Each structure stands twice: as C-alpha cells, then as structure tokens.
Amino acid sequence: MAEPTKPRLVCCIGDIHGFPTKLQNLWSNLESSIGTADFNTALIIFLGDYCDRGPNTREVIDFLISLPSKYPHQTHVFLSGNHDFAFAAFLGLVPQPPDGSEFAEAWKEYEENEEREGWYKGEGYENMHLQGRRWSGKIKAKFNVAKGMDYKGSIYDAAPTFESYGVPHGSADLVRAVPDEHKKFLADMVWVHEEDDVCIETGDGIKHCKLIAVHAGLVSNQDVKEQLKFLKAKDTRVPKVDSLSGRKNVWDMPKVLTFFIMIQ
C-alpha cells in the first residue's frame, strides 16, 4: 500500500516594511528550521506591506524579485498590502476603475482629511487614486500618538521608501527612479489568494482546510463570494479597500488591533 502523499508546506510571511536584513534573517531561519527539502518545494505567501517605515524598501523588493530564480521549485505569492497599494497608486500602476469613473470622484468621501494629512498635489495628482495622494503627502502632525513615534513624511511613513530610491519624500521623480522590474512587481501583486486542501495540525489531528489569504482580512459583514470577486478583479472604484487596510471591521481581528484603530 502506497504511503500517503506528504502535505505541501505553506509559509505565510507578514509585514516586512522596508527591513531587508530582518527579512533575510527570517528567510535563513525558516530554511534551517524547516529543512532544505521541504523548504525548497514550499508555497510561500507574502502577505504584503513590503514598503515604508524601514530604511530600504528597494532592497526588500530586490530580494523578493530574486526568489523565483533562486528557488525555482517553490511557489511564491505576493499579496498587496495597503502600503504597497498606495505606493503603486502613486506610480500609476493600479488599474483604472472598471466603470470608467475617475479616481478623483472618490476623493470626496475623505476630503475633510485632506489638509490634516497634506495630500499630494504635485505632478500627476489630478487622476491619482486617493491612497497614492495620502501616501506621498506631507502630514501636518509630527508625532503619531497611537504608535508613540514621529511620522516619517506622510501618514503612511513613506519617506524612507522615497529615500531608498534616491529621491526626497513627495518627489514626482520617484516615478522615474523606480526600476521597471520593481514597477512590474508592484503592478502584478494580487489582492487575494485561495489555496485548496491546506493541512493544519490541530489537537484533534490533521484538518484539511481552504486557505484564503488577504492582507488585512475579509470584511465580517459582507458576502464572501462577492468580496472574493471584488478582490480578484482589483476593483479600484473605492477610495479605501477594507480588506487591505481595515482593522475593526475584518474577521478574527485581535483585540489589541481593534483598540489600536480606536485610538488613532
């Protein structure tokens, strides 16, 4: 009797936020703790937020781009986080709204925040998705009370990302400074990934589950099928994608993060 097929290893890696050394250390630790054979054939799902806050977004993306050639038997999935979406939006890499509307039409929902957040008004802003304008803007406040630290340029802490490409925060020159292979990476990010028959070890033994991976989570009060359809289509009609940036309204949100959004 043939032995049952060993389940494929699935690794999900969360927010990297511009820290290449920490990413490289994590990668090495995974390989050594899992074992080369299983690691080299694993499904690796990166959950997004590759940019901002840390010192070198450019090196992080270089590392991620290199993985398929270095580990050809692995499968790599690169989900978009809200920070990555905003980065891509500034570069003009997110899809246009499918209904033919302009991005500017969706600004109105949050326009009361424009002055406080210092939305970007430079070259190319006229038809930029709201999150691109917020990402590249210059927030008036210097200190982020919720996080207990200074803002880094914008409400997204995007200044280190600009600087990693050799341009000052909020500069339109970033569009020209980002290499084409990085632009392709940002444009190709998916908003959701589904994986059938993922095995999870529990106290009651192995359970076979369907995995749905998305950066922040599925919204708790909306139909799942409709959400998946929306996320797969990368529908940009909305000014904020809750499944990429939501906290208090997504499923299974830890209480500490719910509290965090309340005090922002």
Side-chain angles (χ1 to χ4, degrees):
M1 186 175 179
E3 293 185 6
T5 303
K6 186 177 181 180
R8 186 183 197 185
L9 182 72
V10 179
C11 298
C12 295
I13 299 176
D15 301 23
I16 299 165
H17 277 307
F19 288 97
T21 301
K22 291 182 178 180
L23 172 59
Q24 291 161 3
N25 290 341
L26 172 63
W27 191 260
S28 297
N29 289 340
L30 280 174
E31 185 166 11
S32 61
S33 62
I34 291 168
T36 302
D38 286 340
F39 185 72
N40 283 347
T41 57
L43 165 63
I44 313 290
I45 302 174
F46 290 91
L47 299 173
D49 277 4
Y50 313 113
C51 63
D52 303 340
R53 299 180 183 163
N56 211 320
T57 288
R58 182 172 187 153
E59 282 191 15
V60 166
I61 296 180
D62 278 337
F63 179 88
L64 298 175
I65 288 172
S66 74
L67 292 178
S69 59
K70 290 180 178 177
Y71 297 86
H73 300 296
Q74 286 182 344
T75 300
H76 306 98
V77 175
F78 301 106
L79 290 170
S80 175
N82 56 316
H83 286 255
D84 317 306
F85 175 85
F87 182 10
F90 181 77
L91 298 178
L93 300 175
V94 298
Q96 291 291 313
D99 60 359
S101 61
E102 299 290 332
F103 286 134
E105 294 176 32
W107 298 348
K108 298 175 184 177
E109 186 175 343
Y110 293 94
E111 62 186 2
E112 71 275 8
N113 298 327
E114 180 173 2
E115 183 177 353
R116 178 178 64 85
E117 295 179 354
W119 295 358
Y120 175 79
K121 292 183 179 179
E123 181 183 333
Y125 89 94
E126 294 87 352
N127 190 33
M128 184 179 291
H129 190 282
L130 171 62
Q131 300 308 322
R133 294 192 65 196
R134 295 179 73 227
W135 181 80
S136 53
K138 296 182 179 179
I139 192 165
K140 296 291 180 67
K142 298 299 181 185
F143 190 73
N144 186 332
V145 176
K147 295 180 182 176
M149 62 182 67
D150 287 340
Y151 283 108
K152 297 179 179 180
S154 70
I155 195 165
Y156 274 97
D157 297 322
T161 296
F162 279 84
E163 292 160 6
S164 76
Y165 289 97
V167 299
H169 177 69
S171 172
D173 290 339
L174 183 67
V175 177
R176 293 173 282 277
V178 174
D180 288 344
E181 59 267 29
H182 287 211
K183 290 177 179 176
K184 184 179 187 307
F185 173 85
L186 293 166
D188 288 348
M189 293 180 301
V190 296
W191 291 9
V192 66
H193 178 75
E194 296 179 84
E195 194 73 27
D196 292 323
D197 198 24
V198 172
C199 296
I200 298 177
E201 291 184 9
T202 72
D204 299 322
I206 298 292
K207 288 191 175 182
H208 294 260
C209 305
K210 181 183 181 69
L211 171 67
I212 299 175
V214 63
H215 178 67
L218 295 178
V219 179
S220 57
N221 60 350
Q222 295 181 14
D223 180 77
V224 171
K225 289 184 179 179
E226 287 301 313
Q227 289 188 68
L228 293 176
K229 180 180 177 182
F230 169 85
L231 293 168
K232 289 175 183 177
K234 301 207 292 193
D235 192 328
T236 58
R237 284 176 289 184
V238 296
K240 177 184 176 183
V241 182
D242 284 336
S243 292
L244 303 189
S245 57
R247 290 185 183 272
K248 61 183 178 181
N249 59 342
V250 297
W251 275 336
D252 296 327
M253 180 55 61
K255 289 183 179 179
V256 65
L257 294 183
T258 305
F259 174 72
F260 176 78
I261 194 66
M262 289 171 61
I263 64 174
Q264 269 190 319

